[in-house]
């Protein structure tokens, strides 16, 4: 009895998930819901199978490529920006308002404009992804850099250490937990950015696939793409968490 | 404050002469933290600064550390005005402020790595000696968060002694510890100070701690912060638990308590 309970505890979320899937399937069949309104899980699996693994891989890789490139560019932009903001009052005063303006602009609204100015290649997609992902990174990194105890900075000053050592040996490591919380938020945002970019202009990718298949009422394919997107996003999040644990165990 | 004469008074290691310090508060008004403070530290002397919160104790410490510059008056170390932080100074803060990503040993040699970018074998050996001296020989490879608060503060003390500073500045180093650990640390500090004589300036809120440790106690008053009196502590060394119950100790404690709290009863 006890072991049964602990077993149920352990697999509770899995059981609930299976239950929902079952309910969904049964409801779709019982009420004869048309597949363009809500496809049954079995219909989604069937449609996914029809498209073939090669095509799925092509679309998924295209989206991942945009997401990861945008992520890397966002990191490359955000970290120096955060250092600049914490180092200089002047930079903080001049840059921060612009960052807030960029962050407050609906990304979906500027995406078409970016595509018009930059063309329909990989570049605008990466730019759109970067734009959506870099802000939380800048803010969390800057917060971390500034959260260093005043005494440690005094210790650094009392040793007459250089500013670059102050940053590399004290502030940056201190900011690691903050940077990683920013990285975790940003990585899920990059998937959103990639999909938005593909909605506007793309010839492949999971976002593109959703757009095309829904416009021809192939909703089961769209659902399959959606599931793949969520899985990809979760996997990326898991990867960042794993890297955090692996590289900086002291900061957990 | 008249210098002691009669016997051959040793040269002052550090001196504050007519030092005032004014801070600009966030609303733009001026706050006078210190006014006309005179204080000298003689060689290998243990001096405590005691007084109510906000009387500028920490400001004095930071002036000596070269982290702050006086608004007027002079702060000097070995008769040279302090214009920037100097190598003769070691600092222990209220909190241990160890770096969580470094080992205990890594934390002790951190000042060297931070200042010069590298640590040589001699400094590592010295760090191990210091670790042994503070009673943590077998904890060198541990992380700071595996140590208790008192142990962490011992590591911080070892860190401050790595470059063998002439002057040790301690800013309420035991105030974040529980009462029992605190007493233990006081005796520990006396033992370390005996082993490696330093000129110590010790900021504290505790009259008992100041009496137990010090050769002299500078009593400060607040708003504006000034040294209102310097009291010689005639208790014999080495001091021990028994010192705490000596009549002179108790009498001095009462005297100082009256002086510290004359204007601001608690």
């Amino acid at each position: 009895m006890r072991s049964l309970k602990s077993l149920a505890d352990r697999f509770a979320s899995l059981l609930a998930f299976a239950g929902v899937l079952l309910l969904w399937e049964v409801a779709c069949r019982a009420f004869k819901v048309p597949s363009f309104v809500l496809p049954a899980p079995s219909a989604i699996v069937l449609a996914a199978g029809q498209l073939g693994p090669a095509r799925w891989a092509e679309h998924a890789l295209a989206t991942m490529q945009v997401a990861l490139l945008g992520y890397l560019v966002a990191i490359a932009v955000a970290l120096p920006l955060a250092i600049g903001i914490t180092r200089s009052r002047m930079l903080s005063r001049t840059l921060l308002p612009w960052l807030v303006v960029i962050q407050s602009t609906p990304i979906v609204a500027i995406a078409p404009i970016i595509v018009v100015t930059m063309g329909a290649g990989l570049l605008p997609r990466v730019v759109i992804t970067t734009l959506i992902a870099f802000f939380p990174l800048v803010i969390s990194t800057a917060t971390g850099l500034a959260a260093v105890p005043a005494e440690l900075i005094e210790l650094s000053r009392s040793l007459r250490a250089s500013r670059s050592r102050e940053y590399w040996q004290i502030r940056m490591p201190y900011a690691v937990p903050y940077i990683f919380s920013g990285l975790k938020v940003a990585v899920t945002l990059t998937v959103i950015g990639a999909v938005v970019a593909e909605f506007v202009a793309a010839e492949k990718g999971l976002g593109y696939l959703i757009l095309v298949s829904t416009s021809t009422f192939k909703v089961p394919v769209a659902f399959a793409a959606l599931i793949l997107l969520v899985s990809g996003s979760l996997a990326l999040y898991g990867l960042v968490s794993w890297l955090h644990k692996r590289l900086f165990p002291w900061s957990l | 404050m008249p210098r002691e004469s009669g016997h051959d008074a040793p040269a002052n290691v550090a001196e504050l002469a007519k030092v005032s310090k004014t801070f600009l508060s966030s609303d733009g008004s001026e706050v006078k933290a210190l006014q006309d403070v005179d204080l000298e530290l003689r060689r290998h002397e243990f001096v405590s600064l005691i007084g109510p919160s906000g009387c500028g104790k920490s400001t004095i410490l930071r002036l000596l550390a070269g982290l702050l510059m006086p608004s007027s008056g002079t702060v000097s170390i070995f008769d040279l005005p302090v214009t920037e932080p100097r190598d003769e100074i070691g600092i222990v803060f209220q909190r241990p402020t160890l770096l969580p990503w470094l080992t205990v040993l890594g934390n002790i040699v951190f000042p060297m790595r931070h200042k010069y970018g590298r640590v040589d074998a001699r400094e590592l050996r010295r760090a191990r000696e210091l670790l042994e001296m503070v009673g943590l020989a077998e904890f060198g490879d541990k992380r700071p968060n595996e140590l208790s608060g008192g142990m962490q503060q011992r590591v911080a003390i070892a860190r401050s002694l790595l470059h063998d500073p002439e002057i040790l500045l301690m800013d309420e180093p035991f105030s974040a510890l529980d009462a029992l650990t605190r007493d233990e640390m006081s005796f520990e500090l006396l033992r370390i100070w005996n082993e490696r004589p330093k000129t110590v300036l010790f900021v504290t809120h505790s009259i008992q701690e100041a009496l137990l440790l010090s050769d002299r106690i500078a009593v400060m008053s607040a708003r504006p912060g000034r040294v209102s009196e310097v009291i010689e502590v005639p208790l014999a060394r080495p001091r021990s638990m028994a010192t705490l119950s000596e009549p002179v100790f108790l009498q001095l404690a009462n005297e100082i308590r009256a002086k510290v709290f004359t204007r601001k009863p608690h």
Side-chain angles (χ1 to χ4, degrees), chain B residues 190-260:
Chain B
L190 278 179
R191 186 182 61 75
I192 293 168
W193 180 64
N194 254 334
E195 255 178 65
R196 316 218 167 192
K198 304 273 171 221
T199 307
V200 182
L201 184 69
F202 188 93
V203 170
T204 181
H205 272 121
S206 159
I207 293 168
Q208 174 177 315
E209 205 170 66
L211 270 172
L212 181 66
L213 296 168
S214 314
D215 296 311
R216 289 187 302 145
I217 298 173
V219 180
M220 294 190 66
S221 58
R223 272 169 228 107
R226 49 173 56 200
V227 173
S228 52
E229 196 164 348
V230 178
I231 297 164
E232 300 270 347
V233 181
L235 298 162
R237 291 190 189 270
R239 296 175 189 166
S240 64
M241 285 298 231
T243 313
L244 296 173
S245 48
E246 276 180 35
V248 185
F249 185 95
L250 299 170
Q251 184 205 326
L252 271 171
N254 285 330
E255 231 171 78
I256 295 170
R257 195 166 291 122
K259 276 166 186 153
V260 172

Side-chain angles (χ1 to χ4, degrees), chain B residues 17-187:
Chain B
K18 283 215 157 305
V19 168
S20 300
K21 178 69 189 173
T22 310
F23 288 108
L24 220 56
S25 74
S26 51
D27 60 6
S29 61
E30 291 192 340
V31 179
K32 197 139 206 166
L34 292 176
Q35 187 162 31
D36 295 331
V37 169
D38 291 309
L39 184 71
E40 82 278 348
L41 304 177
R42 299 166 201 148
R43 188 153 192 271
H44 293 176
E45 182 184 41
F46 202 118
V47 177
S48 284
L49 273 180
I50 198 165
S53 301
C55 70
K57 301 186 292 281
S58 292
T59 305
I60 290 184
L61 190 132
R62 278 160 180 78
L63 284 165
L64 278 166
L67 294 167
L68 291 175
M69 292 300 135
S71 306
S72 67
T74 52
V75 178
S76 49
I77 290 176
F78 293 124
D79 291 330
L80 290 171
V82 175
T83 54
E84 59 171 356
R86 297 177 51 162
D87 292 344
E88 292 96 340
I89 299 281
I91 310 177
V92 179
F93 298 99
Q94 186 170 1
R95 292 180 294 166
T97 55
L98 303 177
L99 301 170
W101 55 91
L102 296 177
T103 61
V104 165
L105 202 66
N107 266 287
I108 296 178
V109 294
F110 177 76
M112 288 296 159
R113 199 156 69 83
H114 196 52
K115 188 173 172 121
Y116 302 110
R118 64 194 158 73
V119 179
D120 60 32
R122 199 175 57 92
E123 281 147 3
L124 264 174
R125 200 167 52 242
R126 201 177 140 68
R128 280 184 214 283
E129 280 170 28
L130 285 167
L131 204 54
E132 200 177 326
M133 187 186 70
V134 297
L136 295 172
E138 64 273 37
F139 290 90
D141 298 326
K142 293 259 190 279
R143 302 269 164 181
N145 63 3
E146 297 174 84
L147 271 56
S148 70
M151 287 156 100
Q152 289 186 26
Q153 198 57 292
R154 284 167 200 244
V155 175
I157 291 172
R159 177 178 67 185
S160 74
L161 294 174
L162 181 72
H163 61 296
D164 201 17
E166 178 58 38
I167 304 169
L168 193 55
L169 303 174
M170 307 185 88
D171 191 6
E172 302 185 39
F174 307 146
S175 64
L177 305 175
D178 63 86
L180 288 174
T181 312
R182 199 173 171 150
D183 285 348
E184 188 194 325
M185 289 295 285
S186 296
F187 290 110

Side-chain angles (χ1 to χ4, degrees), chain A residues 151 154 156 160 165 169 250, chain B residues 62 85 95 101 114-115:
Chain A
E151 292 99 326
E154 286 186 325
S156 177
R160 297 194 309 279
R165 284 222 183 95
Q169 296 186 348
W250 51 266
Chain B
R62 278 160 180 78
R95 292 180 294 166
W101 55 91
H114 196 52
K115 188 173 172 121

Side-chain angles (χ1 to χ4, degrees), chain A residues 62 65-67 69 118-129 197 201 203:
Chain A
Q65 185 193 18
V66 173
L69 277 175
M118 294 188 179
L122 187 62
L123 179 71
R125 275 173 254 163
V126 172
V127 169
I128 291 166
T129 308
E203 58 295 328

Side-chain angles (χ1 to χ4, degrees), chain A residues 98-249:
Chain A
W98 283 103
L99 298 186
V100 175
V101 167
I102 291 172
Q103 174 64 13
S104 311
T105 312
I107 194 78
V108 185
I110 42 167
I113 302 173
I114 291 174
V115 169
V116 169
T117 38
M118 294 188 179
L122 187 62
L123 179 71
R125 275 173 254 163
V126 172
V127 169
I128 291 166
T129 308
T130 302
L131 277 179
I132 203 171
F134 89 107
F135 187 75
L137 250 177
V138 174
I139 295 303
S140 59
T141 305
T143 307
L145 290 173
V148 176
E151 292 99 326
L152 276 176
I153 300 307
E154 286 186 325
L155 180 71
S156 177
R157 298 271 149 83
S158 78
L159 294 163
R160 297 194 309 279
S162 66
R163 286 300 287 277
S164 71
R165 284 222 183 95
E166 176 192 315
Y167 268 82
W168 286 112
Q169 296 186 348
I170 296 178
R171 286 191 193 264
M172 283 301 262
Y174 221 94
V176 159
Y178 296 84
I179 293 174
F180 266 92
S181 64
L183 284 173
K184 283 177 196 167
V185 175
V187 82
T188 54
L189 288 176
T190 56
V191 177
I192 296 176
V195 170
V196 167
E198 286 169 359
F199 276 0
V200 179
E203 58 295 328
K204 55 179 189 271
L206 293 173
Y208 162 81
L209 189 62
I210 289 174
L211 200 68
V212 169
S213 52
T214 48
S215 65
T216 53
F217 291 98
K218 287 182 194 147
V219 178
V221 176
F223 263 86
L226 185 66
I227 291 165
L228 210 55
L229 272 175
V230 173
S231 316
S233 191
L234 287 175
L236 285 176
Y237 185 89
L239 182 70
V240 175
S241 297
W242 180 80
L243 279 175
H244 185 192
K245 269 184 215 146
R246 193 61 205 263
L247 298 175
F248 306 101

